[in-house]
Structures are given as C-alpha cells and as structure tokens.
Amino acid sequence: RSSDLGKSADALANLKRAQALAPDNAEIHFHYAQSLIAEGKLAEAKKELEQALTKSSSGDLRSAMLDTLKKLR
C-alpha cells in the first residue's frame, strides 16, 4: 500500500535525523536498522547493526542487536 510506503519512508527519514542529532545513540541505530529491514535493505541494515554494536556495551539492547544481526547472515 502506498500509504504504508510513505509512513516507512517518513520513519526512515526521522530516524536518520535522530542519528544526526545523537550519533552515538545505539538505540537509534538499532531502530534505523529495523526500519531498513522492513524496507528490504538488508545490507544497509547489517551495516547499521554493526555500527550500533560499537556504541552499546551490554544489556538487552545489545542482545537484540546481536540476534537481529545473526538473522541477517
């Protein structure tokens, strides 16, 4: 549906702006990667997850990132 594509594009744009404002925020990178996965942009999502992992040291978020990355390999 075209309305879903517009919402997805808006989400990606908003998350990209959030990254610019908080480049070291692993959670933003993670959500951006999830949005890329939803768009079928798996190579870009993998890069985002790898970058996010460099910004997250431990916890549930890191576990979720690692699980998502494993699914992309």
Side-chain angles (χ1 to χ4, degrees):
R1 291 181 1 207
S2 63
S3 64
D4 289 343
L5 291 175
K7 289 178 185 176
S8 183
D10 287 345
L12 282 172
N14 288 335
L15 286 164
K16 196 68 174 169
R17 281 192 292 276
Q19 279 183 326
L21 294 171
D24 292 328
N25 186 311
E27 190 169 356
I28 293 170
H29 283 279
F30 178 58
H31 290 297
Y32 185 64
Q34 289 179 313
S35 293
L36 289 168
I37 292 167
E39 290 285 306
K41 299 177 180 180
L42 304 183
E44 286 181 66
K46 183 179 174 186
K47 288 179 187 177
E48 279 299 318
L49 287 167
E50 289 169 347
Q51 189 172 5
L53 284 167
T54 68
K55 300 169 187 317
S56 176
S57 59
S58 63
D60 293 339
L61 179 60
R62 185 172 179 82
S63 295
M65 286 188 268
L66 288 169
D67 288 343
T68 304
L69 190 56
K70 285 179 191 174
K71 292 175 186 175
L72 294 177
R73 290 190 175 149

Short mmCIF file of all heavy atoms in Angstrom, two decimals:
data_model
loop_
_atom_site.label_atom_id
_atom_site.label_comp_id
_atom_site.label_asym_id
_atom_site.label_seq_id
_atom_site.Cartn_x
_atom_site.Cartn_y
_atom_site.Cartn_z
N ARG A 1 0.83 -1.19 0.00
CA ARG A 1 0.00 0.00 0.00
C ARG A 1 0.87 1.25 0.00
O ARG A 1 1.87 1.31 0.71
CB ARG A 1 -0.92 -0.02 1.21
CG ARG A 1 -1.96 -1.10 1.08
CD ARG A 1 -2.97 -1.24 2.16
NE ARG A 1 -2.96 -0.37 3.28
CZ ARG A 1 -3.43 -0.72 4.46
NH1 ARG A 1 -3.88 -1.94 4.65
NH2 ARG A 1 -3.47 0.12 5.45
N SER A 2 0.47 2.20 -0.77
CA SER A 2 1.28 3.41 -0.89
C SER A 2 1.34 4.20 0.42
O SER A 2 2.34 4.83 0.73
CB SER A 2 0.77 4.30 -2.02
OG SER A 2 -0.55 4.73 -1.75
N SER A 3 0.27 4.16 1.22
CA SER A 3 0.30 4.88 2.50
C SER A 3 1.30 4.26 3.46
O SER A 3 1.96 4.96 4.22
CB SER A 3 -1.09 4.93 3.13
OG SER A 3 -1.53 3.62 3.46
N ASP A 4 1.44 2.93 3.40
CA ASP A 4 2.43 2.25 4.25
C ASP A 4 3.85 2.61 3.81
O ASP A 4 4.73 2.80 4.64
CB ASP A 4 2.24 0.73 4.20
CG ASP A 4 0.99 0.28 4.92
OD1 ASP A 4 0.44 1.05 5.72
OD2 ASP A 4 0.56 -0.87 4.68
N LEU A 5 4.06 2.71 2.49
CA LEU A 5 5.38 3.08 1.99
C LEU A 5 5.75 4.49 2.42
O LEU A 5 6.89 4.75 2.78
CB LEU A 5 5.42 2.95 0.47
CG LEU A 5 5.35 1.54 -0.10
CD1 LEU A 5 5.28 1.58 -1.62
CD2 LEU A 5 6.54 0.72 0.36
N GLY A 6 4.78 5.38 2.40
CA GLY A 6 5.04 6.74 2.84
C GLY A 6 5.39 6.82 4.30
O GLY A 6 6.30 7.54 4.70
N LYS A 7 4.69 6.05 5.11
CA LYS A 7 4.97 6.02 6.56
C LYS A 7 6.36 5.45 6.81
O LYS A 7 7.09 5.93 7.67
CB LYS A 7 3.91 5.20 7.29
CG LYS A 7 2.57 5.88 7.37
CD LYS A 7 1.56 5.00 8.07
CE LYS A 7 0.19 5.62 8.04
NZ LYS A 7 -0.82 4.75 8.64
N SER A 8 6.70 4.40 6.08
CA SER A 8 8.01 3.78 6.25
C SER A 8 9.12 4.75 5.84
O SER A 8 10.13 4.87 6.53
CB SER A 8 8.09 2.50 5.41
OG SER A 8 9.30 1.86 5.62
N ALA A 9 8.93 5.45 4.74
CA ALA A 9 9.91 6.43 4.30
C ALA A 9 10.04 7.55 5.32
O ALA A 9 11.14 8.03 5.60
CB ALA A 9 9.53 6.98 2.93
N ASP A 10 8.91 7.98 5.89
CA ASP A 10 8.94 9.01 6.93
C ASP A 10 9.70 8.52 8.16
O ASP A 10 10.48 9.26 8.75
CB ASP A 10 7.52 9.41 7.35
CG ASP A 10 6.81 10.24 6.30
OD1 ASP A 10 7.48 10.76 5.38
OD2 ASP A 10 5.58 10.39 6.41
N ALA A 11 9.47 7.27 8.53
CA ALA A 11 10.16 6.70 9.70
C ALA A 11 11.66 6.67 9.45
O ALA A 11 12.44 7.06 10.33
CB ALA A 11 9.64 5.31 9.99
N LEU A 12 12.07 6.24 8.27
CA LEU A 12 13.50 6.20 7.95
C LEU A 12 14.10 7.61 7.99
O LEU A 12 15.18 7.80 8.55
CB LEU A 12 13.72 5.58 6.57
CG LEU A 12 13.63 4.07 6.50
CD1 LEU A 12 13.67 3.59 5.05
CD2 LEU A 12 14.75 3.42 7.29
N ALA A 13 13.40 8.57 7.43
CA ALA A 13 13.90 9.95 7.42
C ALA A 13 14.01 10.50 8.84
O ALA A 13 15.01 11.15 9.19
CB ALA A 13 12.98 10.83 6.57
N ASN A 14 13.01 10.24 9.67
CA ASN A 14 13.05 10.72 11.05
C ASN A 14 14.17 10.08 11.84
O ASN A 14 14.85 10.75 12.63
CB ASN A 14 11.71 10.48 11.74
CG ASN A 14 10.63 11.41 11.24
OD1 ASN A 14 10.91 12.50 10.76
ND2 ASN A 14 9.38 10.97 11.33
N LEU A 15 14.37 8.79 11.64
CA LEU A 15 15.45 8.10 12.35
C LEU A 15 16.82 8.58 11.86
O LEU A 15 17.76 8.70 12.66
CB LEU A 15 15.32 6.58 12.19
CG LEU A 15 14.21 5.97 13.02
CD1 LEU A 15 13.86 4.56 12.53
CD2 LEU A 15 14.60 5.92 14.49
N LYS A 16 16.94 8.87 10.59
CA LYS A 16 18.20 9.40 10.05
C LYS A 16 18.51 10.76 10.68
O LYS A 16 19.64 11.04 11.04
CB LYS A 16 18.11 9.50 8.53
CG LYS A 16 19.43 9.67 7.86
CD LYS A 16 20.25 8.41 8.01
CE LYS A 16 21.53 8.50 7.22
NZ LYS A 16 22.44 7.42 7.54
N ARG A 17 17.47 11.60 10.84
CA ARG A 17 17.67 12.90 11.51
C ARG A 17 18.06 12.69 12.97
O ARG A 17 18.93 13.40 13.49
CB ARG A 17 16.41 13.74 11.41
CG ARG A 17 16.23 14.43 10.06
CD ARG A 17 15.14 15.49 10.09
NE ARG A 17 13.81 14.94 10.25
CZ ARG A 17 13.06 14.46 9.27
NH1 ARG A 17 13.50 14.46 8.04
NH2 ARG A 17 11.86 13.99 9.51
N ALA A 18 17.44 11.74 13.62
CA ALA A 18 17.77 11.45 15.02
C ALA A 18 19.23 11.00 15.14
O ALA A 18 19.93 11.38 16.08
CB ALA A 18 16.83 10.39 15.58
N GLN A 19 19.68 10.21 14.18
CA GLN A 19 21.08 9.78 14.19
C GLN A 19 22.03 10.97 14.08
O GLN A 19 23.07 11.00 14.73
CB GLN A 19 21.37 8.84 13.01
CG GLN A 19 20.95 7.43 13.24
CD GLN A 19 21.34 6.56 12.07
OE1 GLN A 19 21.33 7.00 10.92
NE2 GLN A 19 21.65 5.33 12.35
N ALA A 20 21.66 11.93 13.25
CA ALA A 20 22.50 13.12 13.09
C ALA A 20 22.60 13.91 14.39
O ALA A 20 23.64 14.47 14.71
CB ALA A 20 21.96 14.00 11.97
N LEU A 21 21.51 13.91 15.15
CA LEU A 21 21.48 14.65 16.41
C LEU A 21 22.16 13.89 17.55
O LEU A 21 22.69 14.50 18.47
CB LEU A 21 20.03 14.96 16.80
CG LEU A 21 19.30 15.92 15.87
CD1 LEU A 21 17.82 15.98 16.23
CD2 LEU A 21 19.92 17.30 15.93
N ALA A 22 22.12 12.56 17.48
CA ALA A 22 22.70 11.73 18.55
C ALA A 22 23.45 10.54 17.91
O ALA A 22 23.00 9.40 17.99
CB ALA A 22 21.61 11.24 19.48
N PRO A 23 24.57 10.82 17.27
CA PRO A 23 25.28 9.78 16.51
C PRO A 23 25.80 8.61 17.34
O PRO A 23 26.04 7.54 16.80
CB PRO A 23 26.42 10.53 15.83
CG PRO A 23 26.60 11.77 16.63
CD PRO A 23 25.26 12.10 17.21
N ASP A 24 25.94 8.79 18.63
CA ASP A 24 26.45 7.72 19.48
C ASP A 24 25.35 6.93 20.18
O ASP A 24 25.64 6.08 21.03
CB ASP A 24 27.43 8.28 20.52
CG ASP A 24 28.70 8.80 19.87
OD1 ASP A 24 29.11 8.23 18.84
OD2 ASP A 24 29.27 9.78 20.38
N ASN A 25 24.11 7.18 19.83
CA ASN A 25 22.98 6.51 20.46
C ASN A 25 22.72 5.18 19.75
O ASN A 25 22.20 5.14 18.63
CB ASN A 25 21.74 7.41 20.41
CG ASN A 25 20.58 6.83 21.17
OD1 ASN A 25 20.23 5.67 21.00
ND2 ASN A 25 19.98 7.65 22.00
N ALA A 26 23.08 4.09 20.40
CA ALA A 26 22.94 2.76 19.81
C ALA A 26 21.50 2.40 19.53
O ALA A 26 21.19 1.72 18.55
CB ALA A 26 23.57 1.72 20.73
N GLU A 27 20.60 2.86 20.38
CA GLU A 27 19.19 2.52 20.21
C GLU A 27 18.62 3.11 18.92
O GLU A 27 17.84 2.46 18.22
CB GLU A 27 18.38 3.00 21.41
CG GLU A 27 16.97 2.46 21.41
CD GLU A 27 16.24 2.72 22.73
OE1 GLU A 27 16.85 3.24 23.68
OE2 GLU A 27 15.06 2.38 22.79
N ILE A 28 19.03 4.31 18.58
CA ILE A 28 18.58 4.92 17.33
C ILE A 28 19.09 4.11 16.15
O ILE A 28 18.34 3.84 15.20
CB ILE A 28 19.01 6.40 17.25
CG1 ILE A 28 18.28 7.22 18.30
CG2 ILE A 28 18.75 6.96 15.84
CD1 ILE A 28 18.80 8.64 18.46
N HIS A 29 20.36 3.73 16.20
CA HIS A 29 20.92 2.91 15.12
C HIS A 29 20.15 1.59 14.98
O HIS A 29 19.88 1.13 13.87
CB HIS A 29 22.40 2.61 15.37
CG HIS A 29 23.30 3.76 15.06
ND1 HIS A 29 23.71 4.08 13.80
CD2 HIS A 29 23.86 4.68 15.88
CE1 HIS A 29 24.50 5.13 13.84
NE2 HIS A 29 24.60 5.51 15.10
N PHE A 30 19.81 1.01 16.10
CA PHE A 30 19.07 -0.26 16.09
C PHE A 30 17.70 -0.09 15.44
O PHE A 30 17.31 -0.88 14.58
CB PHE A 30 18.94 -0.79 17.52
CG PHE A 30 18.17 -2.07 17.62
CD1 PHE A 30 18.57 -3.20 16.92
CD2 PHE A 30 17.05 -2.16 18.42
CE1 PHE A 30 17.86 -4.40 17.02
CE2 PHE A 30 16.33 -3.34 18.52
CZ PHE A 30 16.74 -4.46 17.83
N HIS A 31 16.99 0.94 15.83
CA HIS A 31 15.65 1.16 15.25
C HIS A 31 15.75 1.51 13.76
O HIS A 31 14.91 1.10 12.96
CB HIS A 31 14.89 2.24 16.01
CG HIS A 31 14.48 1.80 17.37
ND1 HIS A 31 13.62 0.75 17.59
CD2 HIS A 31 14.84 2.24 18.59
CE1 HIS A 31 13.45 0.57 18.89
NE2 HIS A 31 14.18 1.46 19.52
N TYR A 32 16.79 2.23 13.40
CA TYR A 32 17.01 2.55 11.98
C TYR A 32 17.26 1.24 11.21
O TYR A 32 16.69 1.04 10.13
CB TYR A 32 18.17 3.52 11.83
CG TYR A 32 18.38 4.00 10.42
CD1 TYR A 32 17.42 4.75 9.76
CD2 TYR A 32 19.55 3.71 9.73
CE1 TYR A 32 17.61 5.21 8.46
CE2 TYR A 32 19.76 4.16 8.44
CZ TYR A 32 18.78 4.90 7.81
OH TYR A 32 18.98 5.35 6.52
N ALA A 33 18.06 0.37 11.78
CA ALA A 33 18.33 -0.93 11.14
C ALA A 33 17.05 -1.73 10.98
O ALA A 33 16.82 -2.35 9.93
CB ALA A 33 19.36 -1.71 11.95
N GLN A 34 16.21 -1.73 11.99
CA GLN A 34 14.94 -2.45 11.91
C GLN A 34 14.06 -1.88 10.80
O GLN A 34 13.40 -2.64 10.07
CB GLN A 34 14.20 -2.41 13.25
CG GLN A 34 14.87 -3.26 14.31
CD GLN A 34 14.14 -3.19 15.63
OE1 GLN A 34 13.78 -2.12 16.10
NE2 GLN A 34 13.92 -4.35 16.23
N SER A 35 14.06 -0.58 10.64
CA SER A 35 13.28 0.04 9.57
C SER A 35 13.85 -0.33 8.20
O SER A 35 13.10 -0.56 7.25
CB SER A 35 13.27 1.57 9.73
OG SER A 35 12.56 1.92 10.89
N LEU A 36 15.17 -0.39 8.11
CA LEU A 36 15.80 -0.81 6.86
C LEU A 36 15.43 -2.25 6.52
O LEU A 36 15.18 -2.57 5.35
CB LEU A 36 17.32 -0.66 6.94
CG LEU A 36 17.85 0.77 6.95
CD1 LEU A 36 19.32 0.78 7.33
CD2 LEU A 36 17.63 1.45 5.60
N ILE A 37 15.40 -3.10 7.52
CA ILE A 37 14.99 -4.50 7.30
C ILE A 37 13.57 -4.55 6.76
O ILE A 37 13.29 -5.29 5.80
CB ILE A 37 15.13 -5.32 8.60
CG1 ILE A 37 16.60 -5.48 8.97
CG2 ILE A 37 14.45 -6.69 8.46
CD1 ILE A 37 16.85 -6.01 10.37
N ALA A 38 12.69 -3.76 7.33
CA ALA A 38 11.31 -3.72 6.87
C ALA A 38 11.21 -3.26 5.41
O ALA A 38 10.30 -3.67 4.69
CB ALA A 38 10.48 -2.80 7.76
N GLU A 39 12.16 -2.45 4.98
CA GLU A 39 12.20 -1.96 3.60
C GLU A 39 12.92 -2.94 2.67
O GLU A 39 13.01 -2.70 1.48
CB GLU A 39 12.94 -0.62 3.55
CG GLU A 39 12.18 0.51 4.17
CD GLU A 39 11.05 0.99 3.29
OE1 GLU A 39 11.29 1.31 2.12
OE2 GLU A 39 9.91 1.01 3.79
N GLY A 40 13.48 -4.02 3.25
CA GLY A 40 14.21 -4.99 2.43
C GLY A 40 15.64 -4.58 2.13
O GLY A 40 16.30 -5.19 1.29
N LYS A 41 16.14 -3.58 2.84
CA LYS A 41 17.51 -3.08 2.63
C LYS A 41 18.44 -3.77 3.63
O LYS A 41 18.93 -3.16 4.58
CB LYS A 41 17.53 -1.57 2.78
CG LYS A 41 16.65 -0.87 1.75
CD LYS A 41 16.62 0.62 1.96
CE LYS A 41 15.73 1.27 0.92
NZ LYS A 41 15.67 2.73 1.08
N LEU A 42 18.66 -5.05 3.39
CA LEU A 42 19.35 -5.88 4.38
C LEU A 42 20.83 -5.55 4.52
O LEU A 42 21.36 -5.58 5.63
CB LEU A 42 19.14 -7.35 4.03
CG LEU A 42 17.67 -7.78 3.91
CD1 LEU A 42 17.58 -9.27 3.64
CD2 LEU A 42 16.87 -7.41 5.14
N ALA A 43 21.51 -5.23 3.42
CA ALA A 43 22.93 -4.90 3.51
C ALA A 43 23.13 -3.62 4.32
O ALA A 43 24.03 -3.55 5.17
CB ALA A 43 23.53 -4.75 2.12
N GLU A 44 22.27 -2.63 4.10
CA GLU A 44 22.35 -1.39 4.88
C GLU A 44 22.03 -1.64 6.34
O GLU A 44 22.66 -1.08 7.24
CB GLU A 44 21.37 -0.35 4.34
CG GLU A 44 21.79 0.29 3.04
CD GLU A 44 20.77 1.31 2.59
OE1 GLU A 44 20.61 2.35 3.27
OE2 GLU A 44 20.12 1.06 1.56
N ALA A 45 21.04 -2.50 6.59
CA ALA A 45 20.65 -2.82 7.96
C ALA A 45 21.81 -3.49 8.70
O ALA A 45 22.07 -3.18 9.86
CB ALA A 45 19.43 -3.72 7.97
N LYS A 46 22.49 -4.39 8.01
CA LYS A 46 23.63 -5.08 8.62
C LYS A 46 24.71 -4.08 9.03
O LYS A 46 25.24 -4.14 10.14
CB LYS A 46 24.19 -6.11 7.65
CG LYS A 46 25.31 -6.93 8.20
CD LYS A 46 25.80 -7.95 7.19
CE LYS A 46 27.02 -8.66 7.72
NZ LYS A 46 27.61 -9.55 6.73
N LYS A 47 25.00 -3.12 8.16
CA LYS A 47 26.00 -2.09 8.48
C LYS A 47 25.56 -1.27 9.69
O LYS A 47 26.38 -0.95 10.55
CB LYS A 47 26.22 -1.17 7.28
CG LYS A 47 26.99 -1.82 6.16
CD LYS A 47 27.15 -0.84 5.01
CE LYS A 47 27.77 -1.53 3.82
NZ LYS A 47 27.88 -0.64 2.66
N GLU A 48 24.29 -0.92 9.74
CA GLU A 48 23.77 -0.14 10.88
C GLU A 48 23.90 -0.92 12.18
O GLU A 48 24.28 -0.37 13.21
CB GLU A 48 22.31 0.24 10.67
CG GLU A 48 22.10 1.42 9.79
CD GLU A 48 22.74 2.69 10.33
OE1 GLU A 48 22.67 2.97 11.54
OE2 GLU A 48 23.30 3.43 9.51
N LEU A 49 23.56 -2.20 12.13
CA LEU A 49 23.67 -3.03 13.33
C LEU A 49 25.11 -3.15 13.79
O LEU A 49 25.40 -3.09 14.99
CB LEU A 49 23.07 -4.41 13.07
CG LEU A 49 21.54 -4.44 13.00
CD1 LEU A 49 21.07 -5.77 12.43
CD2 LEU A 49 20.93 -4.19 14.36
N GLU A 50 26.01 -3.33 12.85
CA GLU A 50 27.43 -3.43 13.21
C GLU A 50 27.91 -2.13 13.84
O GLU A 50 28.65 -2.13 14.82
CB GLU A 50 28.26 -3.79 11.98
CG GLU A 50 28.03 -5.23 11.54
CD GLU A 50 28.60 -5.57 10.18
OE1 GLU A 50 28.98 -4.65 9.42
OE2 GLU A 50 28.65 -6.77 9.86
N GLN A 51 27.45 -1.01 13.31
CA GLN A 51 27.81 0.29 13.89
C GLN A 51 27.19 0.45 15.28
O GLN A 51 27.82 0.93 16.21
CB GLN A 51 27.37 1.41 12.97
CG GLN A 51 27.88 2.76 13.38
CD GLN A 51 27.59 3.84 12.37
OE1 GLN A 51 26.90 3.62 11.38
NE2 GLN A 51 28.09 5.02 12.61
N ALA A 52 25.95 0.04 15.42
CA ALA A 52 25.26 0.14 16.70
C ALA A 52 25.98 -0.67 17.77
O ALA A 52 26.07 -0.24 18.92
CB ALA A 52 23.82 -0.32 16.56
N LEU A 53 26.48 -1.82 17.39
CA LEU A 53 27.17 -2.67 18.36
C LEU A 53 28.43 -2.01 18.91
O LEU A 53 28.83 -2.27 20.04
CB LEU A 53 27.51 -4.02 17.73
CG LEU A 53 26.32 -4.97 17.62
CD1 LEU A 53 26.65 -6.14 16.71
CD2 LEU A 53 25.90 -5.47 18.99
N THR A 54 29.05 -1.13 18.13
CA THR A 54 30.24 -0.44 18.62
C THR A 54 29.88 0.62 19.66
O THR A 54 30.74 1.11 20.37
CB THR A 54 31.03 0.23 17.48
OG1 THR A 54 30.26 1.31 16.94
CG2 THR A 54 31.39 -0.75 16.39
N LYS A 55 28.59 0.96 19.74
CA LYS A 55 28.13 2.01 20.65
C LYS A 55 27.38 1.46 21.86
O LYS A 55 26.96 2.20 22.71
CB LYS A 55 27.24 2.99 19.88
CG LYS A 55 27.98 3.64 18.73
CD LYS A 55 27.06 4.39 17.83
CE LYS A 55 27.73 4.91 16.58
NZ LYS A 55 29.03 5.51 16.74
N SER A 56 27.22 0.14 21.91
CA SER A 56 26.47 -0.49 23.01
C SER A 56 27.35 -1.56 23.65
O SER A 56 27.84 -2.44 22.97
CB SER A 56 25.19 -1.12 22.46
OG SER A 56 24.51 -1.79 23.48
N SER A 57 27.51 -1.47 24.96
CA SER A 57 28.43 -2.39 25.63
C SER A 57 27.75 -3.63 26.22
O SER A 57 28.36 -4.69 26.28
CB SER A 57 29.20 -1.65 26.72
OG SER A 57 28.30 -1.11 27.66
N SER A 58 26.52 -3.51 26.65
CA SER A 58 25.88 -4.68 27.27
C SER A 58 24.37 -4.48 27.37
O SER A 58 23.85 -3.45 26.98
CB SER A 58 26.45 -4.91 28.68
OG SER A 58 26.15 -3.80 29.50
N GLY A 59 23.72 -5.49 27.88
CA GLY A 59 22.29 -5.37 28.14
C GLY A 59 21.40 -5.96 27.08
O GLY A 59 21.85 -6.58 26.12
N ASP A 60 20.11 -5.77 27.31
CA ASP A 60 19.09 -6.33 26.42
C ASP A 60 19.19 -5.77 25.00
O ASP A 60 18.95 -6.49 24.04
CB ASP A 60 17.69 -6.06 26.97
CG ASP A 60 17.42 -6.82 28.26
OD1 ASP A 60 18.12 -7.83 28.53
OD2 ASP A 60 16.51 -6.41 29.01
N LEU A 61 19.51 -4.49 24.88
CA LEU A 61 19.61 -3.88 23.56
C LEU A 61 20.71 -4.56 22.74
O LEU A 61 20.51 -4.90 21.58
CB LEU A 61 19.85 -2.38 23.67
CG LEU A 61 20.01 -1.62 22.35
CD1 LEU A 61 18.76 -1.76 21.49
CD2 LEU A 61 20.34 -0.16 22.62
N ARG A 62 21.85 -4.76 23.37
CA ARG A 62 22.96 -5.41 22.67
C ARG A 62 22.57 -6.83 22.26
O ARG A 62 22.87 -7.26 21.14
CB ARG A 62 24.22 -5.43 23.54
CG ARG A 62 25.42 -5.99 22.81
CD ARG A 62 26.70 -5.81 23.62
NE ARG A 62 27.84 -6.37 22.94
CZ ARG A 62 28.53 -5.76 22.00
NH1 ARG A 62 28.18 -4.56 21.60
NH2 ARG A 62 29.57 -6.34 21.43
N SER A 63 21.89 -7.54 23.13
CA SER A 63 21.44 -8.90 22.80
C SER A 63 20.48 -8.88 21.61
O SER A 63 20.58 -9.73 20.72
CB SER A 63 20.74 -9.55 24.00
OG SER A 63 21.65 -9.72 25.05
N ALA A 64 19.58 -7.92 21.60
CA ALA A 64 18.63 -7.81 20.49
C ALA A 64 19.36 -7.49 19.18
O ALA A 64 19.02 -8.03 18.13
CB ALA A 64 17.59 -6.73 20.79
N MET A 65 20.37 -6.63 19.27
CA MET A 65 21.14 -6.30 18.07
C MET A 65 21.87 -7.53 17.55
O MET A 65 21.87 -7.80 16.34
CB MET A 65 22.13 -5.18 18.38
CG MET A 65 21.49 -3.83 18.51
SD MET A 65 22.71 -2.51 18.64
CE MET A 65 22.88 -2.41 20.41
N LEU A 66 22.49 -8.27 18.44
CA LEU A 66 23.22 -9.48 18.03
C LEU A 66 22.27 -10.52 17.42
O LEU A 66 22.61 -11.12 16.39
CB LEU A 66 23.97 -10.09 19.22
CG LEU A 66 25.19 -9.29 19.69
CD1 LEU A 66 25.68 -9.82 21.04
CD2 LEU A 66 26.31 -9.34 18.65
N ASP A 67 21.11 -10.70 18.02
CA ASP A 67 20.13 -11.64 17.47
C ASP A 67 19.68 -11.23 16.08
O ASP A 67 19.57 -12.05 15.17
CB ASP A 67 18.91 -11.75 18.40
CG ASP A 67 19.20 -12.49 19.68
OD1 ASP A 67 20.24 -13.20 19.76
OD2 ASP A 67 18.39 -12.36 20.62
N THR A 68 19.41 -9.95 15.91
CA THR A 68 18.97 -9.44 14.60
C THR A 68 20.08 -9.60 13.57
O THR A 68 19.82 -10.03 12.44
CB THR A 68 18.55 -7.96 14.72
OG1 THR A 68 17.54 -7.85 15.72
CG2 THR A 68 18.02 -7.44 13.40
N LEU A 69 21.31 -9.31 13.95
CA LEU A 69 22.43 -9.45 13.04
C LEU A 69 22.62 -10.90 12.61
O LEU A 69 22.88 -11.16 11.42
CB LEU A 69 23.69 -8.88 13.69
CG LEU A 69 24.92 -8.72 12.81
CD1 LEU A 69 24.64 -7.85 11.59
CD2 LEU A 69 26.06 -8.13 13.61
N LYS A 70 22.48 -11.81 13.54
CA LYS A 70 22.61 -13.24 13.20
C LYS A 70 21.59 -13.66 12.16
O LYS A 70 21.88 -14.46 11.27
CB LYS A 70 22.45 -14.11 14.44
CG LYS A 70 23.64 -14.10 15.36
CD LYS A 70 23.37 -14.96 16.59
CE LYS A 70 24.45 -14.74 17.63
NZ LYS A 70 24.14 -15.46 18.89
N LYS A 71 20.38 -13.13 12.25
CA LYS A 71 19.33 -13.45 11.29
C LYS A 71 19.64 -12.93 9.90
O LYS A 71 19.16 -13.48 8.91
CB LYS A 71 17.98 -12.91 11.77
CG LYS A 71 17.47 -13.61 13.01
CD LYS A 71 16.20 -12.95 13.50
CE LYS A 71 15.77 -13.58 14.84
NZ LYS A 71 14.62 -12.90 15.42
N LEU A 72 20.44 -11.88 9.81
CA LEU A 72 20.79 -11.29 8.51
C LEU A 72 21.94 -12.01 7.84
O LEU A 72 22.19 -11.81 6.66
CB LEU A 72 21.12 -9.81 8.67
CG LEU A 72 19.98 -8.90 9.08
CD1 LEU A 72 20.48 -7.48 9.27
CD2 LEU A 72 18.86 -8.94 8.07
N ARG A 73 22.66 -12.83 8.56
CA ARG A 73 23.84 -13.51 7.99
C ARG A 73 23.45 -14.76 7.28
O ARG A 73 22.50 -15.36 7.32
CB ARG A 73 24.85 -13.81 9.08
CG ARG A 73 25.47 -12.54 9.57
CD ARG A 73 26.63 -12.81 10.46
NE ARG A 73 27.26 -11.54 10.80
CZ ARG A 73 27.87 -11.29 11.92
NH1 ARG A 73 27.97 -12.20 12.84
NH2 ARG A 73 28.42 -10.12 12.14
#
